[in-house]
Amino acid sequence: MKTSIFYSPNYLIITLILFTLSGNLIAQNEDDILKRTKSDTTDTQLNMDAVYNRPALTINKAPVSIGGYLEANSIYAVEDGLTEGLSFQARRLTLFLSASINKRIKFLTEVEFEEGGKEIAIEFAAMDISFDPLLNLRGGIILNPIGAFNQNHDGPKWEFVERPDVAVKLLPATFSNAGFGMYGKTNTGDWIIGYEAYLSNGFDNS
């Protein structure tokens, strides 16, 4: 029999921002240097909006934003009366970088380090070309729209480090692979209608 007790104070999500600033930039007003990337503040959002709706910072007027988060927890496990005591786990470290190439073309990549760096994966790396809110093209390594959690899995949005069982045992999370397709959305009165259609590689042995 194995019993595990997870302890995650306020889910211990830490937003990591990595910048190298020269001496003259440090001397300037911080508000003039670092600016938080504006996210979609509408009350109603779809899972497809989660890709670009992340905490990030930019430097001055640079078209590049960088951000990330760390998920960690402590655990006390007992199996057949034996225990190794209290230990800590660095579950995942995620870094992402986005850039607006021009008014209609943008790029975002997400790299995740899991279990203290034992597994490193590019979870998202795609270029979007926008023609209209109803017609956007996307190609690269995409997050497949399978289940409600797969695209909207970022740690800062949830209360716990542990992910839902249905998202990791019944459905794959996070599940991404190479592909391309299109997406879009519109609103009609109180209704928001969105769609995504991709051609991508299928499931692998995992």
Side-chain angles (χ1 to χ4, degrees):
M1 178 180 178
K2 183 176 182 180
T3 303
S4 298
I5 302 173
F6 290 92
Y7 175 65
S8 179
N10 208 13
Y11 85 144
L12 201 57
I13 297 295
I14 302 172
T15 302
L16 298 179
I17 307 299
L18 305 176
F19 286 112
T20 302
L21 300 175
S22 62
N24 61 335
L25 288 178
I26 296 175
Q28 296 179 16
N29 188 339
E30 182 178 335
D31 293 337
D32 296 334
I33 300 172
L34 303 178
K35 296 186 182 299
R36 184 169 300 278
T37 302
K38 293 181 179 180
S39 59
D40 189 350
T41 58
T42 57
D43 292 334
T44 305
Q45 296 180 9
L46 305 178
N47 284 324
M48 60 189 290
D49 299 323
V51 173
Y52 283 101
N53 209 15
R54 298 170 169 181
L57 295 178
T58 59
I59 300 178
N60 285 334
K61 296 181 180 180
V64 177
S65 298
I66 185 170
Y69 62 89
L70 169 68
E71 289 183 288
N73 66 279
S74 59
I75 182 173
Y76 182 84
V78 179
E79 185 173 0
D80 297 329
L82 301 176
T83 179
E84 295 181 357
L86 184 67
S87 62
F88 297 92
Q89 296 175 325
R91 303 299 291 273
R92 56 188 67 89
L93 167 66
T94 300
L95 301 174
F96 44 86
L97 179 73
S98 63
S100 297
I101 299 173
N102 63 35
K103 186 178 180 180
R104 295 189 179 274
I105 301 176
K106 55 187 177 181
F107 173 81
L108 185 142
T109 184
E110 174 187 351
V111 180
E112 185 169 282
F113 303 82
E114 293 190 354
E115 302 299 338
K118 294 179 180 178
E119 181 180 341
I120 303 173
I122 299 176
E123 288 198 344
F124 188 87
M127 181 176 291
D128 288 2
I129 303 175
S130 176
F131 296 101
D132 185 85
L134 268 174
L135 180 59
N136 303 272
L137 302 181
R138 173 174 289 167
I141 300 175
I142 62 173
L143 284 166
N144 297 72
I146 177 173
F149 188 81
N150 196 53
Q151 293 170 301
N152 198 19
H153 65 271
D154 290 319
K157 300 176 183 177
W158 304 102
E159 295 295 330
F160 302 101
V161 172
E162 289 295 326
R163 292 177 170 176
D165 284 344
V166 68
V168 295
K169 295 182 178 179
L170 182 61
L171 297 173
T174 50
F175 176 57
S176 62
N177 51 40
F180 73 95
M182 62 181 66
Y183 67 93
K185 68 176 182 177
T186 186
N187 68 298
T188 303
D190 294 334
W191 291 85
I192 296 178
I193 302 172
Y195 77 93
E196 291 182 274
Y198 303 111
L199 293 174
S200 68
N201 296 330
F203 292 99
D204 56 23
N205 293 330
S206 63

